[in-house]
Amino acid sequence: MSRKRSSPLNQRVIKQRLAYLNHVFTQASVGNFSEDIPIPGEKDEFTELYVGIQVMLEALREKIAQLEAANATLDRRVQEKNIVLDALTQEKNNLAEAKLNIEAVLQSAGEGLMVIDVNQYVVIVNRVAAAILGRAVSTIVGQKTAEVVQLFDAHDRLIPFTAQALYRALIIGKKVSQTAVYCQHQDGSRIPLMITATPVLQGQEIIGAIQVIRDVSREQELEQAKTDFISLASHQLRTPLTTINWYVERILHGKTGRITPLQEKYLATVHESSKRMAQLVQALLNVSRVQLKTFNLKPVTCDVPELVESVVKELQPQITEKNLRLEKQVATIQEQVYVNPKLLRIILQTLLSNAIKYTDRETGVFLKIALQPSATSKAETILQIEVTDSGCGIPQKDQAKIFEKLFRASNVKNYHNDGMGLGLYLVKTLLEYASGKIWFESQEGNGSHFFVTLPLTKYSAVALAETETMLS
């Protein structure tokens, strides 16, 4: 229903209407849009203007409400962002402080330490490590490890990074140690090191590694002094022992006249003890020769089956005494092969005597010798030796140390208490020079199975070069 058109407004009413509009606009100018325009009941000259202004006011109120809401949201987000930024800043400060603490610990350590990221770049290095390498710390940090730490083996051959402890720690995620390695100091000298690389894990992910570098020059000097002493003492002991054995054997064989049964018993004990002492002296001499690199490993032609029979014949008294069954499976070899007979004899004597020594009476020992083609060279043949016994076996906790010098498994004293702990060490060391390998499988109480592989026609170039100057 349309509004009734009123008569024209008089001047006083017009002034009132305009004054109210002025009031509304004045309030709006200071941000107050709450005033409403009273729409006249009857349509007049101001009705459309009032309606338009009222619509405008309501629209402005709605926009202002939206802007206030948006502003509140923005303020809240800015506040949340500031909280996050504060947390990140605090975390950054904590990380910086932690890094400083870690660097302080690393710098105060007595051994060389390096922190390496997963891409093999050096993140942190302490002064000890830098001194070992003969470099300034600033020239190491940020560099690839392989560029600042070049490692060599005992024969001065460069060890590729893929064969180093650090690489293996980064790949397999386990602590790895490496001994008998050398680094080249900037002055050209070679420094013996022991290196241990430990992976740094974040959950299951490898994010880097810590490498401990230890200078073992002093230990090597002490070991060399000990080796020299053993060598000298062994040489000095061998001559009187040989003399004792010779005279005792002559007396036992009646060369000095008849002896009583009691005298024979005592002399037999002296002779046996003297032989054991001579064996110990010979073992010490062999060890010192290996360490001094004077053990002759030069390969020559050798009749392997004949050498096997010779070793078995030497061990026959022990086999007979314990009533053991020795089963042999020796490959038929038409021609003599190219191998060092002294090395082969030591291997067979050590493995067979251990098998006999630590096997119960009236059981068995098995020896197998076979030839097989090399997996790496068609011109090379591999001699594989296997010795299996049914004896006491090697405890799991001792297996990692079984090839160490002077080490004896914890359970062998129940079987034999006169072992020296040198045989397997000597065999492993000689095989390393001869490019051979030795390993075993064993379970305590269920015997042991030893394996040896030895190349017959090829030795490492370094080993051959060394053996040209070695003594027999």
Side-chain angles (χ1 to χ4, degrees), residues 388-456:
T388 307
D389 65 65
S390 54
C392 60
I394 303 170
Q396 183 67 35
K397 65 184 180 65
D398 294 337
Q399 292 188 8
K401 300 180 180 179
I402 202 65
F403 293 112
E404 292 183 4
K405 183 166 51 177
L406 302 177
F407 180 81
R408 299 186 71 211
S410 56
N411 62 336
V412 299
K413 292 183 179 180
N414 299 329
Y415 293 83
H416 216 283
N417 59 9
D418 63 347
M420 296 173 287
L422 293 174
L424 290 176
Y425 164 78
L426 180 62
V427 168
K428 181 175 176 60
T429 305
L430 289 173
L431 282 170
E432 287 176 351
Y433 278 101
S435 301
K437 297 180 181 178
I438 181 171
W439 69 98
F440 68 93
E441 298 171 356
S442 184
Q443 186 176 5
E444 187 172 10
N446 290 323
S448 302
H449 192 176
F450 278 83
F451 303 85
V452 171
T453 56
L454 183 64
L456 297 180

Side-chain angles (χ1 to χ4, degrees), residues 243-256:
T243 303
I244 292 171
N245 283 334
W246 187 78
Y247 279 114
V248 170
E249 287 175 0
R250 287 185 63 82
I251 295 173
L252 286 172
H253 293 157
K255 300 298 183 181
T256 60

